[in-house]
């Protein structure tokens, strides 16, 4: 797991698998952890690293309900998990899916010593909306934006005082857009359009997979991904993969799944 400081109030961890990202943000004596690393050892070291760095953990947040982003409570069992209302609704209707997929991953990769995952009672946050962090003169706000398209649910967090955007599974430097069950190309493109002004004003963008990228690089990826999605909409079978990422077999597999999702009746 890599750790990167983007700002005095923002630390990002990048997991050794899928480069799944986890963002710690603080203001005064309050702090949130958004999403999670994946391997047990990465989750085990997280509380100590954040304590040493002076990052309080008052609560956990997630960008969306895919299991690899939901593991924060394995590191902080006493902290409550909050998510956008679309994610809470999705997790409520998919009882057990995250647990099942986590178990399948651990079995496939011989990952041992994982404590059972309990999401606790999820707190639903209104999106669009704002979440206060800290109090008094050092208080700030996280702005929440809806991000459907990859899945049916999703929330991006804009940290205005740091100009950092934590966007979930969009704008990845390592993964092409993925239309998962519940997602759609049109919703994905609407999300890119919604995020575009934030990306233009961001110093850093933290994608769900891959190390943080500059706002300028994120703008390039946004344009490339929108072009790819436009081609999928026009002529799914003939769409060309995004040039900077589409060359490996796993990305081709994602592309084939996208084509199948678009062509499905
Ligand atoms: Zn993901």
């Amino acid at each position: 797991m890599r750790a990167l400081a983007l700002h005095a109030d923002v630390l990002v961890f990048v997991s050794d698998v899928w480069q799944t990202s986890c963002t710690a943000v603080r203001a005064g004596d309050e702090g949130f952890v958004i999403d999670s690393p994946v391997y047990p050892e990465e989750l085990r070291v997280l509380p100590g690293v954040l304590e040493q760095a002076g990052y309080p953990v008052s609560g956990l947040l997630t960008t969306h309900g895919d299991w690899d982003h939901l593991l924060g409570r394995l590191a902080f069992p006493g902290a409550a998990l909050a998510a956008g209302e679309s994610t809470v609704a999705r997790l409520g209707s998919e009882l057990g899916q995250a647990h099942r997929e986590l178990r399948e991953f651990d079995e496939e990769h011989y990952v041992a010593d994982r404590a059972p995952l309990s999401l606790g009672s999820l707190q639903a946050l209104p999106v669009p909306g704002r979440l206060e962090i800290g109090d008094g003169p050092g208080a700030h706000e996280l702005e929440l934006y809806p991000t459907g398209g990859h899945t049916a649910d999703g929330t991006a967090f804009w940290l205005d005082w740091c100009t950092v955007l934590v966007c979930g599974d969009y704008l990845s430097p390592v993964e092409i857009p993925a239309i998962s069950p519940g997602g759609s190309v049109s919703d994905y493109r609407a999300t890119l359009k919604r995020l575009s002004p934030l990306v233009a004003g961001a110093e850093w963008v933290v994608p769900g997979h891959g190390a943080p990228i500059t706002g300028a690089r994120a703008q390039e990826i946004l344009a490339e991904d929108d072009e790819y999605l436009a081609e999928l909409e026009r002529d799914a079978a003939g769409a060309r993969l995004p040039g900077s990422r589409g060359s490996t077999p796993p990305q081709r597999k994602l592309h084939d799944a996208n084509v199948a999702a678009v062509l499905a009746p």
Side-chain angles (χ1 to χ4, degrees):
M1 181 167 72
R2 281 177 288 166
L4 304 108
L6 298 188
H7 179 273
D9 294 330
V10 184
L11 269 180
V12 174
F13 301 89
V14 182
S15 177
D16 285 340
V17 63
W18 299 323
Q19 300 195 36
T20 303
S21 71
C22 167
T23 304
V25 53
R26 70 178 169 189
D29 56 3
E30 212 176 358
F32 295 116
V33 172
I34 308 171
D35 289 350
S36 60
V38 176
Y39 285 129
E41 182 58 21
E42 297 173 334
L43 290 155
R44 255 194 300 273
V45 302
L46 203 54
V49 173
L50 287 181
E51 195 184 341
Q52 257 186 14
Y55 276 69
V57 179
S58 335
L60 307 172
L61 300 169
T62 187
T63 56
H64 63 299
D66 285 352
W67 72 267
D68 55 316
H69 302 263
L70 283 180
L71 307 178
R73 273 175 54 93
L74 291 173
F76 304 97
L81 176 63
E85 49 208 353
S86 62
T87 297
V88 173
R90 175 185 160 194
L91 290 170
S93 70
E94 289 181 356
L95 273 179
Q97 182 167 334
H99 298 92
R100 198 163 52 245
E101 289 178 349
L102 170 61
R103 195 172 56 238
E104 284 167 9
F105 174 88
D106 285 349
E107 284 172 1
E108 187 175 344
H109 300 278
Y110 308 159
V111 174
D113 299 329
R114 173 100 66 184
L117 171 66
S118 154
L119 297 179
S121 64
L122 284 166
Q123 191 196 336
L125 304 170
V127 183
R130 289 161 185 275
L131 183 63
E132 246 192 46
I133 177 169
D135 50 20
H140 291 291
E141 278 183 339
L142 276 60
E143 294 174 22
L144 281 57
Y145 293 86
T147 57
H150 162 56
T151 52
D153 66 312
T155 304
F157 299 89
W158 170 247
L159 321 180
D160 188 44
W161 76 105
C162 328
T163 64
V164 170
L165 176 68
V166 181
C167 60
D169 284 4
Y170 299 87
L171 305 174
S172 170
V174 295
E175 188 175 86
I176 68 168
I179 310 297
S180 295
S184 78
V185 171
S186 57
D187 287 349
Y188 201 118
R189 294 189 73 195
T191 287
L192 292 181
K193 201 169 174 186
R194 201 175 304 119
L195 294 180
S196 180
L198 298 172
V199 171
E203 185 173 3
W204 291 101
V205 172
V206 184
H209 298 276
I213 49 179
T214 63
R217 177 71 188 122
Q219 280 185 293
E220 291 170 4
I221 291 175
L222 193 150
E224 207 178 86
D225 285 355
D226 192 57
E227 174 59 29
Y228 167 66
L229 294 161
E231 286 191 21
L232 269 182
E233 263 179 337
R234 264 200 311 271
D235 168 24
R240 291 162 304 158
L241 280 77
S244 66
R245 285 151 291 160
S247 59
T248 63
Q251 300 307 306
R252 294 215 65 89
K253 207 169 141 190
L254 277 180
H255 170 69
D256 291 343
N258 289 340
V259 172
V262 170
L263 297 179

